[in-house]
Amino acid sequence: MIYFKKNEDTIEKYQVTFSPKELENLKEEIIENCSLIEHKEYKSDYAPRFTNEIIKNFKSTPLGETKEYFEETRDVYQYTYDEYIPPYLVELINKLLNGNAKALEEILTFNPYSNLAIDEEIKVVSAELNTCEDISEKLIKLRELENLLESKKEGEDLEVYYKKLLKLIKFTLIDTLSLTELKRIEDFLAIKLSLDKPFVKALKK
């Protein structure tokens, strides 16, 4: 990939490289340590069907029960498994591995805290909790505060892996063009290049 960065007086051109194996390993770490995990447990005569879900600890246990249908009799099983719901950063890594140049822009501007001013929210909810007199309202605010603290913890964990990801993406400066020269090229060709933000293009194979 080629990455163009606009500075005050110049445009810098970088070649972007990374090790797919290292990114895959980091992605698995993020899935394992930063995913929301939903435990599923139910009994049915039909096995669950999964598409793109990340499923772990899957177990099917026969219960010795059957369910009668007009055309057949089916055995009933107890199904248990954990569904991992990874953070959006995992999707961005997948896109980058698949050669999606736009994913690099999102990665460079990614916020592990999901753009939430979570510390301010914690302060507000804490203040509301201290002023609540009704027990039921206190319990609601307490659960809200616990959820915010858990979200903050998840953001802190994800930030560690996000910094690791940035270190795995290498930027090699290959050329620099002054904005004055760029303006001359635009005037000469009668075109206007949109360079308000960094942009990326995929290399042709």
Side-chain angles (χ1 to χ4, degrees), residues 16 21 23 26 48-50 62 68 72 79 90 96 102 115 124 131 144 151 163 169 193 199:
V16 182
K21 183 177 180 180
L23 288 193
L26 181 64
R49 294 183 178 181
F50 306 117
E68 300 287 340
E72 64 178 337
Y79 294 101
V90 168
L96 187 61
K102 290 184 178 180
N115 298 316
V124 170
T131 58
E144 188 177 345
S151 296
K163 289 179 178 178
I169 302 174
L193 298 175
F199 61 98

Side-chain angles (χ1 to χ4, degrees), residues 39-196:
H39 182 71
K40 309 284 187 177
E41 188 169 342
Y42 64 93
K43 65 178 185 178
S44 176
D45 57 315
Y46 283 91
R49 294 183 178 181
F50 306 117
T51 51
N52 296 321
E53 297 93 337
I54 301 174
I55 303 300
K56 298 190 178 186
N57 307 316
F58 180 86
K59 291 181 182 179
S60 61
T61 306
L63 297 177
E65 302 175 14
T66 58
K67 194 166 183 179
E68 300 287 340
Y69 293 93
F70 177 75
E71 70 280 2
E72 64 178 337
T73 299
R74 297 180 60 86
D75 293 322
V76 177
Y77 290 80
Q78 179 77 20
Y79 294 101
T80 61
Y81 57 89
D82 294 322
E83 181 178 348
Y84 281 59
I85 304 173
Y88 182 56
L89 187 60
V90 168
E91 183 177 338
L92 292 180
I93 293 174
N94 281 332
K95 288 181 178 180
L96 187 61
L97 287 168
N98 290 329
N100 186 330
K102 290 184 178 180
L104 183 60
E105 291 182 55
E106 288 195 68
I107 288 173
L108 294 176
T109 58
F110 181 77
N111 183 352
Y113 296 92
S114 301
N115 298 316
L116 294 176
I118 202 160
D119 287 327
E120 290 302 316
E121 290 190 50
I122 290 172
K123 289 179 182 178
V124 170
V125 175
S126 296
E128 291 173 345
L129 176 63
N130 292 332
T131 58
C132 281
E133 295 182 359
D134 184 80
I135 295 298
S136 60
E137 290 183 4
K138 272 186 175 292
L139 290 174
I140 292 173
K141 287 298 176 183
L142 184 59
R143 283 194 291 270
E144 188 177 345
L145 181 60
E146 289 174 345
N147 290 336
L148 285 170
L149 291 172
E150 181 62 27
S151 296
K152 181 177 181 179
K153 175 64 166 56
E154 290 174 359
E156 290 170 350
D157 291 342
L158 186 57
E159 184 178 25
V160 173
Y161 291 103
Y162 175 59
K163 289 179 178 178
K164 288 184 179 180
L165 173 60
L166 294 181
K167 289 181 180 179
L168 293 180
I169 302 174
K170 309 299 182 185
F171 292 82
T172 303
L173 181 64
I174 55 179
D175 206 350
T176 302
L177 180 69
S178 72
L179 292 181
T180 301
E181 188 175 356
L182 178 63
K183 180 66 167 58
R184 182 174 176 274
I185 294 172
E186 289 179 328
D187 292 342
F188 181 79
L189 297 176
I191 61 173
K192 179 63 179 177
L193 298 175
S194 177
L195 299 174
D196 294 333

